[in-house]
Amino acid sequence: MARRQTQSQKRRNTVLIWWGAVILLAVFAWQSGSPELWILPILTLAYYELCAVPTLCGVETSKGWPCKNPANGRLIACKRESSHAVYKNDALLRMLGFRRPPRQFSAPAPRPGQQPAPPASAPETEPATIDSKQTLITFLTIIATIAGVIQTVLAAMS
């Protein structure tokens, strides 16, 4: 009889599978001796860090604290608060140098049987932000991926 896995066991197994795939691709690239194959582990690791790693949402809420809801990937916001995806996209665009006007934080959706929160009267003066650790890791992942791809292309051309 198979045991049911807890969420933490599933998450741990998923992380191990991703890292196993990255290591397997790196060993394959190393053994092949072909520099252009290094793009496979680089892009796999970048995809994992940006879109699949189990992490926290990290969008700063209207209360001033980072959202602690689970999310998959540093570019992806939690699914519990639909407005967080917009704020996370805005913060990431600002990190890349694009500017959008600040948006108003919306109140969380009311639970069944609960009174809806009154709408906020004035827009937020500060744009939404992301937890600084997530921003740093996202920025470093993007820079390292670009550098790795450029290095791989240059090595393949020579």
Side-chain angles (χ1 to χ4, degrees), residues 50-107:
L50 296 175
C51 302
V53 68
T55 187
L56 300 177
C57 178
V59 172
E60 187 177 303
T61 63
S62 57
K63 295 177 184 172
W65 302 102
C67 176
K68 300 290 185 190
N69 292 331
N72 288 329
R74 301 189 193 288
L75 297 179
I76 315 293
C78 65
K79 304 220 184 306
R80 291 186 185 162
E81 299 292 334
S82 60
S83 63
H84 285 189
V86 174
Y87 300 128
K88 197 159 198 179
N89 289 340
D90 286 350
L92 292 170
L93 286 173
R94 274 194 320 278
M95 181 181 75
L96 297 173
F98 300 103
R99 301 284 180 223
R100 279 186 171 169
R103 298 176 192 248
Q104 181 178 353
F105 277 101
S106 61

Side-chain angles (χ1 to χ4, degrees), residues 18-19 21-23 25 38-54 72-76 137-149:
W18 273 103
W19 278 104
V22 170
I23 291 169
L25 288 170
W38 279 101
I39 198 125
L40 295 173
I42 290 170
L43 292 179
T44 303
L45 183 59
Y47 176 81
Y48 170 71
E49 283 295 326
L50 296 175
C51 302
V53 68
N72 288 329
R74 301 189 193 288
L75 297 179
I76 315 293
I137 291 175
T138 302
F139 183 72
L140 291 176
T141 301
I142 291 170
I143 296 299
T145 302
I146 291 169
V149 168

Side-chain angles (χ1 to χ4, degrees), residues 14-38:
T14 302
V15 169
L16 290 174
I17 289 169
W18 273 103
W19 278 104
V22 170
I23 291 169
L24 185 67
L25 288 170
V27 168
F28 175 70
W30 180 272
Q31 294 295 321
S32 73
S34 181
E36 58 268 6
L37 287 180
W38 279 101

Side-chain angles (χ1 to χ4, degrees), residues 104-156:
Q104 181 178 353
F105 277 101
S106 61
R111 294 193 172 109
Q114 189 181 30
Q115 291 285 341
S121 58
E124 292 285 327
T125 56
E126 292 291 318
T129 60
I130 301 176
D131 185 24
S132 59
K133 289 184 243 174
Q134 282 202 20
T135 304
L136 176 67
I137 291 175
T138 302
F139 183 72
L140 291 176
T141 301
I142 291 170
I143 296 299
T145 302
I146 291 169
V149 168
I150 290 171
Q151 184 273 332
T152 303
V153 168
L154 292 176

